Amino acid sequence: MSKLPPSASITHAEEGGKLSAPSALRNIAAITEVVTAHAPPSGRALEIASGTGQHITALARALPALDWHPTEIAPERITSINAYRAEAALPNLHPAQTLDATAAGWPAQHVPYDLVYLGNLLHLISDAAANTVLSQAAQVLTPHGVLILYGPFMRAGQLTSDGDKSFHADLRGADPAIGYKDDRWINEILTQAGLDLKVVEMPANNLCLIARQEPS
């Protein structure tokens, strides 16, 4: 497990086991808008590293024709996800499952998904772990599935804001193996997996990377 600086994960405990992340509250509307625009009309959706559960609850509410399956590795976050699920009472939001997406072979235990969403994880793990997550997320997609990645990234090897430079330095200071991933590197991995990448600019200098099967 990577060592993270305090700036990487700020959450507050709430009643009923829920955790609240201020960053999730800030970006939830923009993420929901982009995912809604690029999601399939129906099917099965997986969120890798669901965190507090705030994002997937909003996505399940906005996209009721998709069956949403949250996953996490940390027990306290699974508790939080399920608390948000219980409060929302959405029929298309399933109980959280334990999943370490950096462990090889996990797609074999899952039915394929029409949408896989992953937000704010890749900069918190090593390049090797990120490669595993991305290549296996591609494997678990249906033939016409969509992979959506959200978070902070390098653009063509460059950090493009003072805030990104500071945060990347904090990450590397805590663990030299982690930090921002380059959008070109991610594109190379996903291209090798047969996916075609589209980049969407997001608030706060973040990106959404939308990957689909390359047209034949």
Side-chain angles (χ1 to χ4, degrees):
M1 184 69 180
S2 300
K3 182 180 178 183
L4 301 178
S7 56
S9 181
I10 301 172
T11 60
H12 305 294
E14 297 192 350
E15 292 183 0
K18 292 189 297 182
L19 299 171
S20 177
S23 61
L25 294 173
R26 289 194 299 269
N27 61 35
I28 202 164
I31 290 171
T32 300
E33 181 179 354
V34 172
V35 173
T36 299
H38 294 278
S42 61
R44 289 166 43 83
L46 171 72
E47 185 181 25
I48 296 172
S50 296
T52 62
Q54 292 164 278
H55 281 166
I56 199 166
T57 303
L59 291 169
R61 185 175 288 113
L63 293 159
L66 286 169
D67 281 324
W68 288 87
H69 298 263
T71 64
E72 248 298 339
I73 191 171
E76 68 275 10
R77 291 181 177 246
I78 289 177
T79 297
S80 179
I81 295 162
N82 287 332
Y84 278 105
R85 174 180 178 265
E87 181 181 71
L90 298 169
N92 62 325
L93 181 54
H94 294 261
Q97 303 174 60
T98 300
L99 173 64
D100 179 0
T102 68
W106 64 263
Q109 281 74 54
H110 287 253
V111 176
Y113 294 92
D114 302 285
L115 170 64
V116 176
Y117 171 70
L118 168 63
N120 284 325
L121 175 67
L122 296 180
H123 58 292
L124 305 180
I125 59 178
S126 69
D127 287 358
N131 196 332
T132 299
V133 171
L134 292 170
S135 60
Q136 295 194 124
Q139 291 176 26
V140 84
L141 287 173
T142 60
H144 300 290
V146 184
L147 171 63
I148 300 179
L149 310 172
Y150 169 82
F153 298 94
M154 290 185 185
R155 275 92 155 165
Q158 300 297 314
L159 296 165
T160 57
S161 76
D162 290 341
D164 285 336
K165 292 174 184 177
S166 176
F167 188 30
H168 179 69
D170 283 350
L171 293 168
R172 286 292 175 89
D175 184 343
I178 66 175
Y180 281 35
K181 307 300 184 282
D182 188 6
D183 58 357
R184 298 173 305 180
W185 180 76
I186 292 172
N187 184 52
E188 181 180 344
I189 293 170
L190 295 180
T191 298
Q192 290 174 355
L195 302 180
D196 186 48
L197 192 66
K198 174 182 179 179
V199 178
V200 178
E201 292 283 345
M202 299 292 285
N205 210 41
N206 290 318
L207 297 177
C208 260
L209 309 180
I210 317 295
R212 301 175 185 271
Q213 188 174 31
E214 293 179 350
S216 55

